[in-house]
Amino acid sequence: MVAAAAWADVDDLVAAGLIPCVVQDVNGTRGTPDNTTDAITGVTTEPTAVDITGYRAGEDYTWHWSGGTLFIDWSPAGAEPTARTLYAVTVSVCVDVPVPRIAGVEKHTVGTSGVRTGSNTTVADGYSAVPVQDVDLATGGGVGLEGQSRWVLPIAQTNTGWDTELVITNVAKQTTAVSATFYAAGGQGVAGESVALLSGVALGPGESIAVDLREDANFPEGAVGSVWVDASRAVVAVAFRHKPATAMMLTTVAQPRTDDAAASPTLKFGPLVFRAYNGWNTGINIANLSSTTNRVTVTYYTYAGTVVATEAVTIPPQGMEYVYTPASGNVGLAAHQITAVRIAGQYPLAAAIDAVKYLGGPGQGHAMSYAAGRALAGGQVVSADSAHVVRTLPVSGRMLYQALLGLPLVQTGNPTTGLGDTSGINLYNPDLGNPVTVWVQFLDSAGVPVAPTADATDAEQPLSFPLPAGAGATVYTLDYHELPAGFVGSAVVGVEGNGALVGVSNNVNYAVGGDGSGAFNLAVVPQATPRFVGIPITIAGDELFEPVTDAQGNPNEFTARVTVHDLFGDPLPGIPAYLTVLSGPNQGETDVATTGADGTAELSYDSNGVIGEDEVLIWVDVDGDGVKGSFEIVGFFKHWEVGLGRALDARVDDDTPLVGTQLTVRARVTDGSGAANAVQGVAIRCTVEGVNGTATVTDGAQTGTDGRATCSYTGANVGGDTITVWADLDGEGDQDAGEPSTTVDVTWTAVDMTVQG
């Protein structure tokens, strides 16, 4: 069985404000006859949701989009506008629609049906559903491979009375070729003896094949090892192990096989391990996924975080080894007996953890198995009603978890007898340096919170407790008498803090005739909630005090980088952002942008060269409603100063002065902007070439607040002079490259002595 999830109606999520969207308002014209389709052009991006004022999607109309045209189909039996009338359409484009997250378990029984078991049930067991992420990981291939599906079952056996049946299912849409190879434990892995269980068997879409090691592959008593599965397309696999003599059953799900350490960690964890606990035996079966010999260290921790034992095994490539901890007797509870385990390799590995109980007393003849898992890093936890959440869920009282473990099946038995299907949720914080806070929420099959994790209004009121670094805990449903006997529901476990969490649930009923226990991994569900927007919006701009020009005299540009995050601090893409200069020298300047994958948009405008203070408003329409909410706007002041460019202008009052008089050259230094802002404190110098080239020049005066200064000399000879005027920016007295200059031409004239009479 393959289960997939999709939102029943994304429009509902948009209407509830759970998804930030860009909104476009358009008009449609109802055509004729009734129950036909209208086309609205100019809708350039495929919508996420379409809302028509006064009409109901799905009941009055449906819609689809193609090539820039939105088609409104009025064929449903509901109402529609009158022919040839306009109707308002709101088109929402939401680029960050959260993917629905689901988790699943399979519980199988012999003698009865359904998840509830009893004395008429012979055997019960189960396993966690394979997440699509593992299917994708399994197709990562190896060196030189191109998308093959590769899996490993860490243990298959025919020893000590057990038998194993493998089931492989094609979950692709095309026929696939499947091979399966058995490698014996304690051998040399890929270099040792092996048995081809399947070789190139064709499976059609959805088809399964089963191989019984004893009956189909003729395995003798005493074999134990791992099975490696290869397929040309996506498959999944499981191993059912059965011991008829004690009516025990274990179920092991294949794990994706890759030796890429970035995708397949070298570190796995088991939250529930029995060490000489009340007759339970534990076996940890480890497969080396690497092409290199793998040294694996197994460390056991008490629930208080204390190390109680350490073992190590060396496993060749494609080899398998197991660490077995037998029970020493049927005893009561004692220290160090229920532990967690840390399985650390030098290279990637897969591991299955088995627990069996042969000895007498409660739970005799029970067995369960689960895959050692990854840990989920902690995050934040907030209430949907908290003040810093922009939009709240339609139903108040929800808790939102950035990091979440999901358990699809939670049961509780009869607290008086101790019998009936009962869940124990075993949790372990494998981060040896940081604690976490754990939040446990029970829900019924309709998703309604239940006591003891709900208040009288049905609002969530989760159990919450700290879990120190390296520590573990068990949440046992029979300890909570508010849960009704026979309860069947689910649980979510929020993880808050800098530590991590991994979990597994053992589901047990001692009333079952034979083996009535199974184990289910808690599904890792990071960022499972809708993308609520968090505040404040952050803005990182250029310097708020900035010259109007650069050194070349070009207008400087101001850029504000707007970043929008959800309430957990993750970036939100696709959010429109707007900039407007409300007042100041650049009043009326605007810009618009949309946040990218990093949640950031850049908004800019150029200075027009005028010195002064701009009042700038930035609006980020996080909820897509087109209204400037108080939480969506940020205002600030941008100060423009004298530019870095330098320009020089010079003139004389008279360009035909009389010989023997003093000529004054008037210069002005500006910043090169269109506003020609004055530059103060620049020395003005002049050199003369021409008939008065040897004249003494008075210069070096610095410009005042108006950017003006003068130089002067007296002409002694009739004729022309060219005066070079330059701004000595560094004050060294020599004209350097980049120091602005200009020239002024004058013609000296003699005094007219002619006497008229």
Side-chain angles (χ1 to χ4, degrees), residues 271-641:
L272 176 63
V273 175
F274 300 116
R275 288 184 56 79
Y277 166 57
N278 217 22
W280 286 91
N281 304 327
T282 299
I284 301 176
N285 313 285
I286 308 166
N288 177 14
L289 304 185
S290 171
S291 54
T292 303
T293 297
N294 202 349
R295 179 71 171 174
V296 180
T297 302
V298 179
T299 306
Y300 298 90
Y301 292 83
T302 66
Y303 272 4
T306 304
V307 175
V308 292
T310 300
E311 299 185 52
V313 290
T314 300
I315 310 175
Q318 289 196 359
M320 174 267 188
E321 297 290 345
Y322 55 88
V323 176
Y324 185 58
T325 306
S328 58
N330 186 41
V331 296
L333 284 172
H336 311 325
Q337 290 179 342
I338 300 180
T339 63
V341 68
R342 180 186 187 93
I343 307 167
Q346 297 171 302
Y347 303 99
L349 56 88
I353 299 176
D354 297 342
V356 296
K357 182 175 182 181
Y358 295 111
L359 301 177
Q364 178 182 2
H366 284 259
M368 52 190 172
S369 179
Y370 66 94
R374 307 178 183 213
L376 175 63
Q380 299 181 55
V381 175
V382 298
S383 167
D385 294 326
S386 60
H388 67 289
V389 181
V390 173
R391 289 288 182 179
T392 59
L393 284 163
V395 178
S396 63
R398 290 291 191 189
M399 300 292 289
L400 306 176
Y401 306 97
Q402 185 176 21
L404 178 71
L405 299 176
L407 180 60
L409 178 63
V410 174
Q411 295 182 267
T412 189
N414 188 320
T416 302
T417 65
L419 300 177
D421 301 288
T422 301
S423 297
I425 305 174
N426 306 279
L427 304 169
Y428 172 54
N429 173 11
D431 189 316
L432 302 182
N434 295 288
V436 290
T437 298
V438 177
W439 302 75
V440 180
Q441 178 66 58
F442 296 125
L443 305 118
D444 67 16
S445 58
V448 176
V450 297
T453 62
D455 65 17
T457 68
D458 285 338
E460 293 183 355
Q461 189 172 279
L463 305 171
S464 181
F465 54 89
L467 206 55
T474 296
V475 177
Y476 188 52
T477 56
L478 279 183
D479 289 340
Y480 302 98
H481 294 169
E482 299 93 335
L483 280 172
F487 171 78
V488 177
S490 61
V492 295
V493 179
V495 189
E496 179 186 14
N498 295 324
L501 199 67
V502 62
V504 66
S505 173
N506 56 315
N507 188 278
V508 179
N509 186 357
Y510 292 137
V512 171
D515 181 359
S517 59
F520 305 108
N521 292 88
L522 271 65
V524 173
V525 190
Q527 191 60 65
T529 57
R531 305 300 297 274
F532 292 77
V533 178
I535 25 183
I537 298 161
T538 60
I539 295 181
D542 296 337
E543 296 294 333
L544 290 182
F545 290 84
E546 187 175 10
V548 295
T549 67
D550 60 18
Q552 286 70 48
N554 300 313
N556 266 334
E557 180 185 69
F558 171 71
T559 299
R561 283 166 293 279
V562 182
T563 303
V564 187
H565 294 95
D566 66 12
L567 59 87
F568 296 127
D570 291 330
L572 279 175
I575 308 299
Y578 306 89
L579 176 147
T580 303
V581 181
L582 300 178
S583 64
N586 296 283
Q587 182 176 352
E589 288 289 335
T590 61
D591 195 21
V592 61
T594 301
T595 59
D598 61 353
T600 297
E602 291 193 347
L603 300 161
S604 305
Y605 72 95
D606 288 339
S607 166
N608 66 4
V610 177
I611 297 171
E613 181 181 78
D614 287 336
E615 182 182 3
V616 181
L617 178 72
I618 290 183
W619 167 40
V620 183
D621 192 9
V622 293
D623 57 9
D625 64 358
V627 178
K628 295 183 179 70
S630 60
F631 57 86
E632 298 176 319
I633 57 176
V634 177
F636 56 92
F637 291 94
K638 170 69 176 178
H639 301 269
W640 293 103
E641 302 176 335

